[in-house]
């Protein structure tokens, strides 16, 4: 774990895995330091922003952490209904050496965690994808991915909260309201949430 100063009131924590990112994020959240005003996890980093003058306390906490230590925090589980009729379902199945039904069973049978959010408002990167479904992005990204599309790419699965370009392999679609600026909070999913997918017709 490496700590890098980021501006006057923040520290960027660099780690080697999404698991370590989650451990750092959970540990800082559990510590409930009044000096911490924002936590921003990413694929291999966590940005911890402090109140003015609060950076020394934040650094002391971070220097005491070990990313391998378990942290028991209450979590929220969100179930996303999915119609598994994506345009790349057959491609994902063929690449994995499975049938489309087996892909659906694998995808719905796993438990996922929101590692971080990014790319677009409400876009949550979920870890926990079964190994056979960990596949590369498309060689040629789509210029427009429909809202609610559920895809896989590398070690992650996710649902698109709005129509954007994208290169993930699309296996289904959900009607869940992933992002609504009139809601508090606007994003349905937040880092640390647990997610399951449920197949619907």
């Amino acid at each position: 774990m490496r700590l890098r100063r980021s501006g006057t009131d923040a520290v960027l924590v660099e780690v080697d895995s999404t698991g370590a990112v989650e451990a750092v994020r959970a540990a800082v959240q559990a510590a409930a330091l009044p000096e911490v005003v924002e936590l921003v996890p990413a694929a291999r980093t966590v940005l911890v922003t402090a109140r003015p003058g609060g950076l020394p306390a934040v650094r002391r906490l971070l220097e005491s952490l070990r990313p391998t230590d378990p942290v028991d925090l209450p979590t929220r589980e969100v179930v996303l209904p999915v119609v598994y009729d994506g345009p790349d379902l057959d491609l994902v199945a063929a690449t994995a050496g499975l049938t489309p039904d087996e892909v659906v069973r694998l995808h719905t049978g796993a438990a996922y965690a929101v590692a971080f959010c990014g790319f677009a408002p409400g876009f949550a990167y979920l870890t926990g994808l079964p190994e056979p479904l960990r596949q590369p992005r498309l060689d040629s990204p789509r210029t427009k991915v429909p809202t609610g599309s559920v895809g896989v790419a590398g070690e992650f699965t996710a649902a698109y909260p709005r129509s954007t370009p994208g290169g993930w392999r699309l296996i289904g679609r959900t009607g869940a309201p992933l992002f609504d600026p009139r809601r508090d909070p606007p994003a349905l999913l937040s880092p640390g949430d647990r997610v399951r997918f449920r197949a619907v017709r």
Side-chain angles (χ1 to χ4, degrees):
M1 189 171 77
R2 295 163 297 281
L3 306 182
R4 299 190 185 278
R5 184 78 175 260
S6 183
T8 57
D9 298 305
V11 176
L12 187 69
V13 184
E14 296 180 341
V15 292
D16 296 326
S17 68
T18 52
V21 165
E22 170 60 13
V24 170
R25 183 206 62 79
V28 174
Q29 183 177 329
L33 278 184
E35 290 86 356
V36 174
V37 295
E38 189 175 27
L39 273 174
V40 184
R44 296 292 184 270
T45 61
V46 182
L47 181 68
V48 187
T49 304
R51 299 184 188 281
L55 200 57
V58 170
R59 286 194 69 96
R60 284 194 296 271
L61 170 64
L62 294 172
E63 287 165 356
S64 72
L65 297 182
R66 291 185 300 175
T68 55
D69 290 346
V71 177
D72 187 19
L73 276 179
T75 58
R76 181 178 68 118
E77 183 172 271
V78 179
V79 178
L80 299 180
V82 177
V83 178
Y84 284 91
D85 61 354
D88 303 316
L89 180 59
D90 289 341
L91 171 63
V92 170
T95 302
L98 303 170
T99 66
D101 285 345
E102 288 171 329
V103 169
V104 174
R105 282 196 292 272
L106 271 180
H107 196 253
T108 56
Y112 302 94
V114 179
F116 58 96
C117 298
F119 172 63
F123 192 100
Y125 290 77
L126 309 180
T127 57
L129 189 66
E131 190 66 39
L133 305 184
R134 298 183 182 189
Q135 300 183 13
R137 288 169 170 78
L138 297 173
D139 292 336
S140 179
R142 293 179 171 89
T143 58
K144 188 174 183 181
V145 173
T147 299
S149 295
V150 175
V152 296
E155 64 182 302
F156 301 110
T157 187
Y160 285 74
R162 63 179 184 175
S163 180
T164 62
W168 292 39
R169 297 185 179 197
L170 306 180
I171 60 175
R173 53 191 165 90
T174 181
L178 298 166
F179 186 80
D180 183 349
R182 298 163 296 183
R183 187 174 56 199
D184 185 21
L188 177 63
L189 302 176
S190 300
D193 286 347
R194 301 307 184 212
V195 179
R196 287 187 177 276
F197 294 96
R198 176 171 55 87
V200 296
R201 295 188 180 276

